[in-house]
């Protein structure tokens, strides 16, 4: 793994069009700014791991044919919320 | 063509019903072709069934059939990969996780499945809106606290 030492406001490039800037360092936390093309996905690693873990649970779950028929009756009418 | 499904035995699907996920589904990178199975007696649940592995099938729900105004904030690049320009042109589905106590089922709002129904291509995207939980309860366990 490449390890680079940087100070606040210094940056480094990944390829030609992704720039990572050290914005702030406070205690054990570093704030990074990321300049990247819009089609590059930038997420905290935990987000990926959470979704992956959830997919693995959802893909492996063992339910029987009655489960969905029973559950559908428990669903509320369309929720007026945005999931937030 | 005939495929085996996880719970509904052998089913006959036409080739053009297959939805291609070029990047797979997170955690299952080796499976690319799925079909949506909708059965009247299971609505609004559907199955996103792998055509390559009978055991791999996700219970999904079309987002707007349960969440009136949920709209994921997905990277423009994901929408572009489906050959579309705006999230409004995309069909949005959420994967449902059903634990041992089925009533505690949750919807994954953070990793929505986006489908272009015309090109039959799909992608699992990520909503940038951090309020979109990976495990949003579908059945309220306590009375709702006011409206949203």
């Amino acid at each position: 793994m490449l390890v680079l030492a940087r100070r606040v406001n210094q940056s480094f490039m990944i390829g030609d069009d992704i720039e990572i800037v050290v914005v702030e360092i406070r205690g054990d936390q570093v704030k990074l700014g990321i300049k990247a093309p819009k089609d590059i996905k930038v997420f905290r690693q935990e987000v990926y791991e959470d979704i992956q873990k959830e997919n693995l649970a959802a893909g492996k779950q063992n339910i029987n044919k009655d489960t969905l028929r029973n559950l559908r009756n428990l669903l509320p009418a369309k929720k007026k919320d945005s999931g937030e | 063509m005939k495929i085996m499904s996880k719970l509904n035995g052998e089913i006959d699907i036409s080739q053009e019903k297959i939805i291609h996920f070029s990047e797979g589904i997170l955690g299952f990178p080796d499976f690319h072709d799925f079909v949506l199975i909708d059965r009247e007696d299971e609505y609004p649940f559907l199955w996103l069934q792998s055509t390559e592995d009978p055991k791999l099938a996700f219970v999904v729900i079309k987002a707007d059939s349960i969440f009136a105004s949920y709209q994921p904030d997905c990277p423009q690049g994901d929408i572009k990969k489906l050959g579309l320009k705006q999230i409004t042109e995309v069909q949005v589905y959420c994967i449902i996780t059903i634990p041992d106590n089925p009533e505690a089922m949750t919807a994954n709002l953070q990793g929505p499945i986006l489908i272009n129904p015309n090109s039959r291509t799909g992608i699992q995207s990520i909503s940038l809106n951090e309020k979109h939980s990976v495990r949003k309860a579908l059945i309220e366990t306590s009375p709702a606290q006011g409206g949203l």
Side-chain angles (χ1 to χ4, degrees):
Chain A
M1 184 165 66
L2 173 67
V3 178
L4 299 168
R6 299 276 71 193
R7 294 179 191 282
V8 170
N9 291 328
Q10 290 186 327
S11 64
F12 60 91
M13 301 292 296
I14 300 175
D16 294 331
D17 44 17
I18 300 173
E19 184 181 5
I20 314 286
V21 192
V22 179
V23 176
E24 187 186 305
I25 302 170
R26 190 185 292 169
D28 62 357
Q29 198 178 48
V30 181
K31 278 191 184 160
L32 301 173
I34 297 146
K35 294 180 202 165
K38 278 199 148 184
D39 54 345
I40 300 286
K41 293 194 241 183
V42 180
F43 296 101
R44 289 178 295 113
Q45 189 194 1
E46 301 92 286
V47 172
Y48 268 107
E49 288 173 352
D50 280 354
I51 293 176
Q52 189 165 329
K53 212 172 101 195
E54 202 58 25
N55 284 347
L56 289 168
K60 280 195 304 204
Q61 64 204 2
N62 267 318
I63 59 174
N64 63 50
K65 291 192 78 161
D66 291 327
T67 311
L68 295 182
R69 282 177 227 154
N70 294 337
L71 281 177
R72 59 178 286 200
N73 297 318
L74 299 174
L75 279 178
K78 190 185 272 197
K79 290 187 177 195
K80 293 263 183 294
D81 74 33
S82 54
E84 292 175 8
Chain B
M1 61 185 269
K2 287 183 164 45
I3 63 160
M4 279 305 287
S5 67
K6 184 169 174 170
L7 276 189
N8 292 301
E10 190 177 75
I11 53 168
D12 202 2
I13 51 155
S14 58
Q15 192 77 31
E16 62 264 31
K17 288 276 187 204
I18 293 177
I19 303 161
H20 186 69
F21 286 75
S22 60
E23 298 176 2
I25 305 268
L26 277 172
F28 300 93
D30 300 330
F31 300 98
H32 300 284
D33 289 332
F34 291 83
V35 282
L36 278 171
I37 305 172
D38 57 335
R39 295 168 50 91
E40 210 178 322
D41 59 348
E42 293 175 348
Y43 179 87
F45 299 107
L46 297 88
W47 290 94
L48 186 65
Q49 169 72 53
S50 163
T51 62
E52 296 153 302
D53 180 357
K55 291 192 295 293
L56 180 59
F58 299 96
V59 174
V60 298
I61 210 163
K62 198 154 181 274
D64 59 15
S65 69
I66 183 91
F67 297 109
S69 58
Y70 162 72
Q71 191 160 86
D73 182 10
C74 294
Q76 193 58 30
D78 283 353
I79 295 157
K80 220 166 74 184
K81 279 179 199 157
L82 298 177
L84 297 172
K85 290 198 177 75
Q86 291 174 22
I87 186 85
T88 49
E89 301 173 89
V90 172
Q91 286 180 353
V92 181
Y93 292 86
C94 296
I95 295 179
I96 308 300
T97 306
I98 303 173
D100 293 339
N101 168 18
E103 293 181 28
M105 66 179 165
T106 55
N108 182 349
L109 302 188
Q110 193 170 35
I113 301 288
L114 309 184
I115 290 173
N116 176 345
N118 299 314
S119 65
R120 312 296 301 174
T121 50
I123 194 167
Q124 184 171 33
S125 189
I126 295 181
S127 178
L128 295 159
N129 185 337
E130 299 211 346
K131 288 181 186 159
H132 288 159
S133 163
V134 77
R135 278 181 290 279
K136 167 78 173 173
L138 281 173
I139 299 172
E140 310 287 347
T141 47
S142 56
Q145 303 291 310
L148 268 175

